[in-house]
Amino acid sequence: VSVESRVKQFPGEHLVVSAGKLFCHACREELTTKMSVLKSHLRSKKHVVGKEKLAERDKRERDIAAALKKHDECHHPKGEILPESVRVFRVKVVTAFLKAGIPLNKIENFRSILEETAFRLTDRRHLADLIPFIL
């Protein structure tokens, strides 16, 4: 059975094809295409919790996007040119740095890992402009 057909058999289970292999996005692990193992995985507590965490993350990102849109209406009437997903990512990065007590001037030390699988960051001075929005 092909990896693509397994993904189609289980819609909504956060299964994807990655480098030709079956990958569970909720659990962040590679899976076999064997039906019995796959069904067992999908019933596992780890998978259920992983799906819940993804749902929470998606909700949090929608909330950030809505707040950014409202903020733009007040402060940037012409709108922003950056895609919403990039702006949400940048807010999440700045929020994480603030919560951890890490100064934004240290962002250069983390830039390569943060940009590796996600979006491009901007200069730390521009990221600092997000602080009033976050607070």
Side-chain angles (χ1 to χ4, degrees), residues 96-112:
F97 271 66
L98 292 175
K99 283 183 178 178
I102 302 171
L104 287 180
N105 64 353
K106 301 288 185 187
I107 197 96
E108 295 306 319
N109 298 324
F110 298 94
R111 182 176 296 277
S112 63

Side-chain angles (χ1 to χ4, degrees), residues 71-89:
H71 177 76
D72 288 345
E73 290 171 359
C74 296
H75 297 90
H76 304 283
K78 291 184 179 180
E80 285 287 333
I81 58 171
L82 283 175
E84 181 179 280
S85 55
V86 172
R87 296 179 69 216
V88 168
F89 174 71

Side-chain angles (χ1 to χ4, degrees), residues 12-81:
E13 293 295 341
H14 303 284
L15 300 178
V16 296
V17 178
S18 178
K21 307 243 181 192
L22 185 62
F23 188 79
C24 177
H25 188 62
C27 302
R28 300 175 187 241
E29 64 183 47
E30 192 177 303
L31 302 172
T32 180
T33 57
K34 188 174 178 185
M35 183 62 90
S36 61
V37 175
L38 194 52
K39 283 183 176 180
S40 176
H41 170 79
L42 297 176
R43 288 189 305 265
S44 72
K45 183 174 182 167
K46 179 181 182 179
H47 184 73
V48 171
V49 169
K51 282 175 50 174
E52 290 170 356
K53 285 182 180 180
L54 281 177
E56 289 172 15
R57 185 193 74 192
D58 290 345
K59 181 187 179 311
R60 186 172 56 249
E61 288 181 2
R62 283 191 307 273
D63 291 346
I64 292 171
L68 281 168
K69 187 175 182 177
K70 189 173 183 179
H71 177 76
D72 288 345
E73 290 171 359
C74 296
H75 297 90
H76 304 283
K78 291 184 179 180
E80 285 287 333
I81 58 171

Side-chain angles (χ1 to χ4, degrees), residues 85-86 89-90 92-93 111-121:
S85 55
V86 172
F89 174 71
R90 289 176 179 178
K92 288 170 57 178
V93 168
R111 182 176 296 277
S112 63
I113 192 76
L114 290 170
E115 292 180 345
E116 191 173 280
T117 58
F119 303 100
R120 195 172 51 87
L121 292 170

